[in-house]
Amino acid sequence: MSSSIQFSPVIQQLFARKSNPSSISSFKASKLVHIAPISLNCSRIHLDFKVRVQVLENHDGESSVQDLDDSPASIELQPVSDEPQFDRVIAEAQQLDESVVILWMANWCRKCIYLKPKLEKLAADYFPRTRFYSVDVNNVPHKLVVRAGVTKMPTIQLWRDGKKQAEVIGGHKAYVVVSEVRDMIENEDNL
């Protein structure tokens, strides 16, 4: 990725400013960098990265930019398409001592569709210690849906050590569901 970042005139003036006793010695700014969607195997992958930069003046009065955070702003939920893949996801997480959050959804479910990007933003907050996946119940064998105990959509489950530890059934406002999922992840040690 080429790192061509456009700064506002105010920040450009900060770079140009020479050192003087009354100048601000440090300045923090947040900037969201969006990489255009990439087409891969007929699916769209969105890579959103948030980058915080810090502009510092050194002793010579010259300014420098430091990269403070290049964590993703959102992470696309990885789709699970069959039972063997589901078993692999759970087994890999167990081997790595990680948790897995799974959104059980349907492509006709409006609440599911609305909730998914909110969970993708939440996934970025817990990246890489917790993996997030989605399962479209219409595209997997019914046996898997029954095995997971899913009866309503959207259902968000937390899996750890090869077992379902907790779940949130998302029949209410998205911000409430996201808050409940966050609480579920944060409280997973108490389960």
Side-chain angles (χ1 to χ4, degrees):
M1 177 176 102
S2 68
S3 58
S4 171
I5 298 177
Q6 296 283 328
F7 289 103
S8 71
V10 173
I11 295 177
Q12 289 175 358
Q13 288 176 0
L14 242 173
F15 280 116
R17 184 185 299 177
K18 294 294 181 195
S19 178
N20 66 44
S22 64
S23 70
I24 299 171
S25 62
S26 74
F27 175 83
K28 293 183 181 178
S30 292
K31 179 168 180 63
L32 182 66
V33 177
H34 178 76
I35 301 171
I38 301 168
S39 179
L40 178 67
N41 293 338
C42 300
S43 67
R44 294 174 65 99
I45 298 175
H46 295 274
L47 301 173
D48 293 329
F49 289 92
K50 57 184 175 187
V51 178
R52 273 187 266 149
V53 295
Q54 186 173 17
V55 180
L56 299 172
E57 279 190 10
N58 62 19
H59 298 298
D60 301 331
E62 296 176 11
S63 299
S64 65
V65 176
Q66 295 179 345
D67 191 9
L68 297 180
D69 184 11
D70 62 352
S71 61
S74 69
I75 297 176
E76 184 174 352
L77 304 183
Q78 296 301 310
V80 174
S81 57
D82 57 25
E83 199 164 359
Q85 182 186 8
F86 179 82
D87 292 336
R88 273 194 311 276
V89 164
I90 299 300
E92 286 174 11
Q94 188 173 3
Q95 284 180 335
L96 297 171
D97 195 32
E98 294 178 343
S99 297
V100 174
V101 173
I102 300 175
L103 166 64
W104 296 84
M105 60 177 287
N107 59 7
W108 48 261
C109 170
R110 286 182 41 207
K111 288 184 180 183
C112 302
I113 293 166
Y114 185 73
L115 181 63
K116 189 176 179 184
K118 313 272 188 273
L119 290 175
E120 289 173 339
K121 288 182 181 179
L122 183 67
D125 293 344
Y126 292 97
F127 177 79
R129 72 171 201 192
T130 303
R131 298 178 186 201
F132 283 68
Y133 295 88
S134 67
V135 179
D136 186 334
V137 298
N138 295 322
N139 295 333
V140 296
H142 184 68
K143 179 176 137 182
L144 177 59
V145 177
V146 171
R147 176 177 147 197
V150 175
T151 57
K152 297 178 182 171
M153 264 99 34
T155 295
I156 303 93
Q157 296 178 335
L158 176 73
W159 289 69
R160 184 159 184 92
D161 299 325
K163 299 180 189 117
K164 178 175 67 173
Q165 302 293 325
E167 76 178 8
V168 171
I169 297 175
H172 30 276
K173 302 258 185 227
Y175 72 91
V176 174
V177 175
V178 170
S179 177
E180 289 176 353
V181 171
R182 185 181 299 277
D183 291 344
M184 178 176 69
I185 295 168
E186 294 294 329
N187 296 323
E188 74 176 283
D189 295 331
N190 301 332
L191 300 174

